[in-house]
Amino acid sequence: MFLSDITITELIRSGQIIILPEFDFKNIRPAGIRLHLGEELLIPESNQTVDLAGNENIKYKKVSISENGYTLKPEEFILGTTYEKFQIPRDIICHIDGRSTIARLGLSIHCTSQVVDGNFEEPRTVVLEIKNIGPTHLILKPKLAVAMITFSKLSSSIGQKSQIQ
């Protein structure tokens, strides 16, 4: 079951859902929260050959997004993170997805490990796979609302890692 805006608000106010560094309640939507782009990007270096069965290190260039933004060219792929850091209870999971408003412009936001669980002892960001699938250049700026996070209640709390084998 997905949690509603009312339940999400209650969980944030009670401290069961922690969102850092600051949280503006205007970002709560009917069934989730808007997420914003962090301030750094990882750009894969071109002309690499990667053996998916191997244990190779892929080379990336780290870029800080300036106030002028980063121009994402058509067909370009980069990695980013959420500006927000999350910590959730062990009986809730989150789902990350892009926003339709910017998807209509060709910006695809994806999180392959789409489920975020409460198996962490401190708040953490979420890595976003970002691709421009449209024909125009898109300017990405820090704290741009790029994704949505929804919350689901589990039937019980997740087990400790040591208990699951």
Side-chain angles (χ1 to χ4, degrees), residues 51-154:
D51 179 357
L52 297 177
N55 189 13
E56 298 179 36
N57 290 326
I58 300 171
K59 295 180 180 119
Y60 293 93
K61 177 177 150 187
K62 187 184 277 191
V63 173
S64 293
I65 307 173
S66 71
E67 290 300 316
N68 296 328
Y70 175 83
T71 302
L72 188 66
K73 299 172 192 77
E75 297 303 317
E76 185 178 4
F77 171 81
I78 60 174
L79 298 176
T81 63
T82 56
Y83 171 73
E84 296 85 358
K85 294 180 182 180
F86 287 90
Q87 186 173 4
I88 56 175
R90 298 176 71 79
D91 63 345
I92 292 178
I93 58 171
C94 301
H95 313 272
I96 309 286
D97 206 356
R99 295 184 59 223
S100 63
T101 306
I102 58 174
R104 292 180 194 125
L105 301 172
L107 187 63
S108 176
I109 302 289
H110 186 68
C111 179
T112 301
S113 56
Q114 186 179 16
V115 174
V116 177
D117 60 45
N119 205 22
F120 296 91
E121 301 302 322
E122 59 187 39
R124 66 182 184 117
T125 60
V126 178
V127 175
L128 303 171
E129 293 106 17
I130 303 169
K131 184 166 183 173
N132 182 353
I133 59 173
T136 60
H137 290 72
L138 301 172
I139 298 173
L140 303 176
K141 292 188 176 181
K143 300 183 186 177
L144 176 70
V146 293
M148 286 288 295
I149 188 167
T150 56
F151 300 85
S152 296
K153 185 88 166 153
L154 295 173

Side-chain angles (χ1 to χ4, degrees), residues 2-5 8 23 25-35 95 148-151:
F2 286 98
L3 303 184
S4 72
D5 55 345
I8 294 167
F23 182 71
F25 282 86
K26 76 176 184 184
N27 288 309
I28 296 178
R29 311 312 300 154
I33 296 175
R34 272 190 298 229
L35 296 180
H95 313 272
M148 286 288 295
I149 188 167
T150 56
F151 300 85

Side-chain angles (χ1 to χ4, degrees), residues 4-15 17 25 28:
S4 72
D5 55 345
I6 294 168
T7 304
I8 294 167
T9 300
E10 290 170 356
L11 292 171
I12 293 170
R13 287 203 166 120
S14 70
I17 293 177
F25 282 86
I28 296 178

